[in-house]
Amino acid sequence: MIVSANVQEKLSRLGIRKELDLILHLPIRYEDETHLFPISDALPGQVVQVEGVIIHNEVVMRPRRQLVCQIEDSSGILVMRFLNFYGSQIKTYAVGKRVRLLGEIRSGFFGAEMVHPKCRIIRKSESLAESMTPIYPTTAGLTQSILGKLIGQVLQDAQKTQALTETLPEKIIQKYRLAGLKESVMCLHNPPPDVSIEALQARTHPAWRRIKFDELLAQQLSMRLHYRQRRSHSAPVLVQKNKLAKLLLKQLAFELTAAQIKVSAEISRDLAAAHPMQRLLQGDVGSGKTIVAALAALQAIENGFQAALMAPTEILAEQHFQKLSAWFDPLGIQVVWLSGSQKKKQKQAALDDIALGTAQLAVGTHALFQDQVVFHQLGLAIIDEQHRFGVHQRLALRMKGSLSNTVPHQLMMSATPIPRTLSMSYFADLDVSIIDELPPGRAPIVTKLIADNRRDEIIARIQQACQQGKQVYWVCPLIEESETLQLQTAMETYESLSQIFPDLSVGLVHGRLATQEKTAVMASFKQGEIQLLVATTVIEVGVDVPNASLMVIENAERMGLSQLHQLRGRVGRGSEASICILLFQQPLSEIARKRLKIIFEHTDGFEIARQDLQLRGPGEFLGARQSGVPMLRFADLEQDGELLATAQATANEMLNDYPGLAQRHIERWLGDKTEYLRV
Ligand code: ADP
Ligand code: MG
């Protein structure tokens, strides 16, 4: 393929580097130029091709300068309108010229019209296209016709060469009645005249099915391969002894739910194996993941190994530290705390304990995987709110296993429930455990949407709640552009609420407070000394104060769904009926309105996540993980769930029985995009 540097640069912007990339650069839609519509038959909203003679041509000034032509065929007259045009076009579209137009019919003031149609002057007997015209995704400066020509050339070569040989075993093609790859690719680039355009547009045509299957399969293969490679490492065998677990469970004020017991058993079994666990524990906000993590840590500790628990924010890490210390101290287990903002001396002491092995559990923030942290014998790394960490950070913690040739077990926890199809695709390199019930006795949270100009009602409500001994969160708006501004808003809110409620004890917590101050504020809120806590979104994850039963979130329209769900999850943790008030500022954008509707109507995190995925698509939903994982271009998780399950089954079969083909398949579809392999 010989192209100019300019074109090459444009192509690379589209992710096209090799000939194969061009072959797999598939149309986003098609235009039907295979037949002509009589003008009078075309209905508004239809995209059609018509042909006729220009009978009128005029530049009008009302309401602004535009070129208006009338086209006539044997059935009727159509208005063609250009709002932007070159002077030369006035001449080109002179009266008497015959034109072919493709565009959407609208009903205008003077009858049917097309605005900015694709318009071509034609000689009398020019033949019609024989197949649908593919329209490719492209970038500024690269026209459809250049791109189409390039693809055409490469396809011609591909007919002769091996570029599109099968990577699927015949058996699998038969079993799932898949179309051939080469035929599918050819069909999508040059659809035959008799093809169903609906099936092509909706991507349900067998050719699309094959492409999507191949894509999903490539993703499954590469992720399962990584899974197997990591599994081929050794890990410490952490035998199930259950002595410490029994002691811990005895001292708890509650019984584990059936779901907690089930996931604990899955984790425990993994830990007892000689290869590293790579498990993702999913559970909705408040489903009780911390105790499950604690039980896993005990299994490591019981076998003479250390465990580490890493959390994305200092507040959360600190809270874990307190909770776990309270649970583990009575068992004679030493828990240490490590964070970036710690005093030098304390930090050094913690580091020493970790290195010597006297610290059996280390709890902390990102500080845990810094270079100076050396574990004596790390057996299990637990990562809370895993989506907050990038792949590199998780990798760094995993490298902390200091027994030669072993890798610690890894437990990742996610409070943002992950929709099933997403978890099957983008998390296919992990085993997944799901806590699918909440502890009993939780009163449901009532969500209220209140416009910002009705604040006064809320003030009365807060007063009343506090009088009844309840506690309240007031969450300040997220200001993405400026942390300083966010801080300022929080302080102002704190000032004004303190004035409004002179007889309440009001507290303030935000990200810029020093660790000790944060800890002190959270502690006095927990103990009930603070009645109304003004907070920034730092309290979003994990914070657990069961007596807090009213939450006000300001400018809720600015927040994402999972953030709102997380924040709301800070209440409804006790047996008290809880209320979450979402204050919003009008006017609402379309997307904000949709989000607020979803959060108002649903409390189930999995359902919210499913709708969030629909709203935003997988790219944004995945956040940090996205950076490492090849994204799907053709398959649609919502629409192609069944195909995904098929691809999953096929991936395992191919890795077992056809490893060579599997490798070629991955290379064809992912090429060098499989870099996160070692994480
Ligand atoms: P999350 O899954 O959001 O991390 P936590 O582990 O913080 O949830 O648990 C939420 C609250 O529920 C905590 O106060 C915890 O002690 C309590 N909890 C956990 N498991 C149970 C249970 N089986 N029964 C009653 N309360 C429980
Ligand atoms: Mg948690």
Side-chain angles (χ1 to χ4, degrees), residues 286 288-290 316 319-320 384-385 413 415 541-543 570 573:
K289 292 182 289 293
T290 318
L316 181 55
Q319 183 187 283
H320 278 324
D384 199 8
E385 312 291 342
M413 304 202 283
V541 288
V543 174
R570 302 306 116 218
R573 304 201 141 224

Side-chain angles (χ1 to χ4, degrees), residues 381-408:
I382 304 169
I383 299 166
D384 199 8
E385 312 291 342
Q386 56 85 30
H387 63 288
R388 296 293 191 98
F389 293 98
V391 280
H392 299 292
Q393 297 169 318
R394 287 197 275 130
L395 176 64
L397 189 58
R398 223 191 69 205
M399 301 306 275
K400 293 283 181 195
S402 48
L403 275 193
S404 54
N405 304 325
T406 72
V407 171

Side-chain angles (χ1 to χ4, degrees), residues 588-607:
L588 286 177
S589 69
E590 189 56 31
I591 184 108
R593 183 183 305 278
K594 281 187 183 147
R595 282 199 300 253
L596 291 178
K597 183 167 187 291
I598 294 171
I599 199 81
F600 176 71
E601 288 176 351
H602 300 277
T603 49
D604 174 8
F606 280 92
E607 181 55 28

Side-chain angles (χ1 to χ4, degrees), residues 443-448 550-551 568 571 577-581 600 603:
I445 306 171
V446 175
T447 303
K448 293 182 190 283
L550 175 58
M551 170 175 279
R568 184 173 61 180
V571 293
S578 293
I579 297 176
C580 178
I581 296 173
F600 176 71
T603 49

Side-chain angles (χ1 to χ4, degrees), residues 5 196 349 393 609 650:
S196 149
Q393 297 169 318
T650 305

